[in-house]
Amino acid sequence: MIERVLVAMDGSDLSERALRYALDGHPDAEITVLNVVGGASPMMGQAAGIALSDDDEGGVREAAEPVFERAREIAAEYDKTVETAVEAGRPARQIIDHSEGFDVVVLGTHSGSLADRLFVGNVAKTVFQRSPVPVTVVR
């Protein structure tokens, strides 16, 4: 029986679809939404503001809040609540590291532009190959 589900969300439509899948498929499970914010680097878009901030942890949390707000809205449609967690760094690595203690990881097939996918790599594929727990990839 699946009791704890980790859903990786990045604000994309596919990540929202992954959350809906988890809520539909595991209605009695505790669901945690994980958002991974790019590590602090002045060369990377969203992370630039965090890198220049005096409060990295607060900047990471602030960057994740719109994703969490949307996740809460979706969960409310199901009369559910979700836990939230935020990490900074490389998405695949952070999802894999965070997955211990969960019964399954649910994530969308991809996000971002083609250039983002080519530059950053395929997060879903890496998580699928290296996760210590089962992974459901939603498209």
Side-chain angles (χ1 to χ4, degrees):
M1 181 171 160
I2 293 180
E3 295 178 8
R4 295 191 72 219
V5 178
L6 179 65
V7 179
M9 285 190 70
D10 60 5
S12 68
D13 290 343
L14 282 169
S15 70
E16 289 184 13
R17 197 176 304 173
L19 177 58
R20 289 181 188 284
Y21 178 90
L23 290 163
D24 280 332
H26 308 292
D28 297 325
E30 174 188 310
I31 295 178
T32 299
V33 172
L34 173 66
N35 179 251
V36 181
V37 178
S41 164
M43 296 178 68
M44 298 296 283
Q46 181 182 40
I50 296 166
L52 299 173
S53 169
D54 290 336
D55 179 15
D56 286 351
E57 187 173 322
V60 168
R61 181 49 112 170
E62 186 178 321
E65 196 53 39
V67 173
F68 294 153
E69 286 178 22
R70 182 64 183 136
R72 288 183 203 103
E73 290 171 4
I74 293 169
E77 294 172 17
Y78 292 79
D79 291 325
K80 297 266 303 182
T81 59
V82 293
E83 300 294 319
T84 59
V86 62
E87 297 289 344
R90 297 177 64 190
R93 171 59 30 216
Q94 293 300 329
I95 295 166
I96 292 164
D97 289 350
H98 206 88
S99 68
E100 291 187 33
F102 288 87
D103 298 312
V104 65
V105 174
V106 180
L107 70 163
T109 55
H110 63 275
S111 67
S113 67
L114 176 60
D116 288 341
R117 291 193 306 271
L118 293 174
F119 181 71
V120 176
N122 190 328
V123 172
K125 179 179 176 184
T126 301
V127 172
F128 182 79
Q129 291 174 334
R130 298 182 183 168
S131 175
V133 301
V135 176
T136 301
V137 181
V138 178
R139 35 177 272 159

